[in-house]
């Protein structure tokens, strides 16, 4: 007489019962972390006047570090060289694919129009913000994280130094000051790179290209594009400073915080880019000078 296998039903029931609890615990932890970062961002924004008035020297120091770094222009840490290089390379690919695609339907004369729209509305702000996140943002996370794990932030608190305006507020102000010239450099680089590819490499008509480029590109487009870049920069600095400020777990924890901050900022850039594009230019794109909607 064979015996039937005995199953541990109680263990299976406990496993099934523990799954919803684990999901709820992870959800609660995630919501708490989001709330912590949102609260930190609000405190930073509220203390910006304090940072600007009391820590002007620190703001100037951060401006120099963000814009030019401490050593050579590109390898040594300056953001301007990275923005220039990334914007130019991305714009070259836009010029190549734009001309090739329009050449298939015999409309290469519209290369200037697409260059003005694509570079100004999407490419330049997104590329500049990604360069800012990869270079400046991760640097902020690493510095604040190292200060946190070495108890330097706690020491500042013990000396009654307000750490949020001193460490985060000054970096936000410095980035807001630097983003306008940095973005201008990147935007001009995209225009030049795309024109070189279309006119000088592919042999397009310079006059036709310039005509459609200038008639399409209006001052409001440049202003809206700058608004996108400023919003991206603000979000990047707040995210990276928050992750660095709350870093735990020693040097390994600082590395994890930098990686999480970079992933979070890039995802937010993509989401906010869609929202701002629809909010600033509408759901239906328009080129009023050409009567195109």
């Amino acid at each position: 007489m064979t015996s039937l296998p005995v199953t541990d039903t109680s263990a299976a029931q406990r496993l099934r019962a523990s799954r919803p609890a684990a999901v709820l615990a992870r959800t609660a932890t995630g919501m708490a972390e989001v709330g912590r970062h949102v609260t930190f961002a609000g405190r930073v924004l509220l203390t910006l006047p304090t940072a600007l008035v009391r820590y002007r020297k620190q703001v100037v120091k951060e401006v120099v570090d963000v814009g030019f770094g401490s050593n050579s222009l590109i390898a040594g840490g300056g953001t301007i060289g990275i923005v220039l290089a990334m914007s130019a390379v991305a714009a070259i690919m836009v010029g190549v694919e734009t001309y090739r695609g329009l050449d298939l339907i015999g409309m290469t004369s519209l290369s200037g129009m697409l260059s003005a729209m694509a570079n100004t509305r999407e490419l330049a702000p997104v590329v500049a913000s990604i360069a800012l996140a990869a270079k400046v943002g991760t640097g902020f996370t690493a510095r604040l994280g190292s200060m946190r794990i070495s108890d330097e932030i706690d020491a500042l608190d013990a000396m009654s130094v307000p750490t949020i305006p001193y460490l985060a507020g000054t970096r936000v102000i410095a980035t807001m000051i630097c983003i306008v010239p940095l973005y201008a450099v990147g935007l001009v680089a995209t225009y030049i790179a795309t024109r070189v590819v279309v006119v000088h490499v592919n042999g397009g008509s310079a006059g036709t290209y310039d005509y459609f480029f200038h008639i399409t590109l209006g001052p409001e487009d440049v202003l809206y594009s700058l608004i996108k870049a400023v919003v991206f920069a603000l979000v990047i600095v707040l995210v990276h400073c928050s992750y660095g400020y709350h870093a735990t777990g020693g040097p390994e924890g600082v590395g994890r915080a930098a990686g999480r901050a970079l992933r979070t900022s890039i995802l937010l850039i993509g989401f906010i880019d869609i929202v701002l594009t629809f909010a600033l230019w509408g759901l239906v794109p328009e080129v009023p000078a050409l009567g195109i909607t």
Side-chain angles (χ1 to χ4, degrees):
M1 183 177 181
T2 59
S3 58
L4 295 175
V6 179
T7 59
D8 190 354
T9 57
S10 60
Q13 291 174 354
R14 288 196 299 270
L15 180 61
R16 287 194 296 268
S18 65
R19 289 175 180 173
V23 172
L24 290 176
R26 289 195 296 268
T27 302
T29 301
M31 293 180 65
E33 185 175 359
V34 171
R36 181 177 62 185
H37 293 310
V38 172
T39 302
F40 178 85
R43 293 176 63 187
V44 171
L45 296 177
L46 289 176
T47 57
L48 286 181
T50 302
L52 184 60
V53 172
R54 297 180 58 180
Y55 306 113
R56 289 190 294 269
K57 292 183 179 179
Q58 184 68 15
V59 170
V60 173
K61 178 182 176 182
E62 294 297 336
V63 167
V64 175
D65 186 65
V66 169
F68 300 99
S70 56
N71 297 308
S72 62
L73 189 62
I74 296 179
T79 311
I80 185 170
I82 297 175
V83 172
L84 177 63
M86 290 184 61
S87 299
V89 171
I92 288 173
M93 297 309 302
V94 169
V96 170
E97 296 302 329
T98 296
Y99 191 87
R100 291 177 61 184
L102 293 175
D103 187 48
L104 294 175
I105 55 177
M107 299 181 65
T108 55
S109 59
L110 296 180
S111 299
M113 182 189 71
L114 294 182
S115 171
M117 294 180 63
N119 288 329
T120 307
R121 299 185 181 186
E122 299 297 336
L123 182 68
V126 171
V127 170
S129 61
I130 291 176
L132 191 71
K135 174 62 191 68
V136 177
T138 52
F140 287 169
T141 305
R143 292 174 197 169
L144 295 183
S146 63
M147 293 180 67
R148 171 62 72 183
I149 65 173
S150 61
D151 296 329
E152 293 182 42
I153 295 180
D154 295 332
L156 291 174
D157 288 330
M159 292 186 294
S160 298
V161 176
T163 54
I164 287 183
Y166 179 71
L167 297 177
T170 54
R171 286 173 165 83
V172 170
I173 295 173
T175 305
M176 293 298 100
I177 294 173
C178 292
I179 189 60
V180 175
L182 286 175
Y183 180 64
V185 169
L187 186 61
V188 172
T190 60
Y191 293 157
I192 295 175
T194 304
R195 189 182 188 280
V196 168
V197 170
V198 173
V199 176
H200 298 284
V201 176
N202 290 314
S205 171
T208 303
Y209 179 93
D210 293 339
Y211 173 78
F212 281 102
F213 178 86
H214 291 294
I215 201 174
T216 304
L217 182 64
E220 66 279 0
D221 287 331
V222 178
L223 177 61
Y224 292 161
S225 181
L226 179 60
I227 291 174
K228 290 179 70 172
V230 170
V231 173
F232 292 160
L234 178 62
V235 171
I236 289 167
V237 178
L238 291 175
V239 168
H240 283 268
C241 286
S242 180
Y243 272 95
Y245 190 86
H246 297 104
T248 57
E252 182 181 355
V254 175
R256 289 197 301 267
R260 291 172 181 173
L262 184 60
R263 292 193 297 269
T264 303
S265 60
I266 290 177
L267 288 175
L268 287 176
I269 287 170
F271 176 76
I272 297 174
D273 178 59
I274 296 173
V275 174
L276 289 180
T277 297
F278 289 152
L280 296 174
W281 284 283
L283 296 176
V284 179
E286 299 179 359
V287 185
L290 298 177
I292 300 176
T293 58

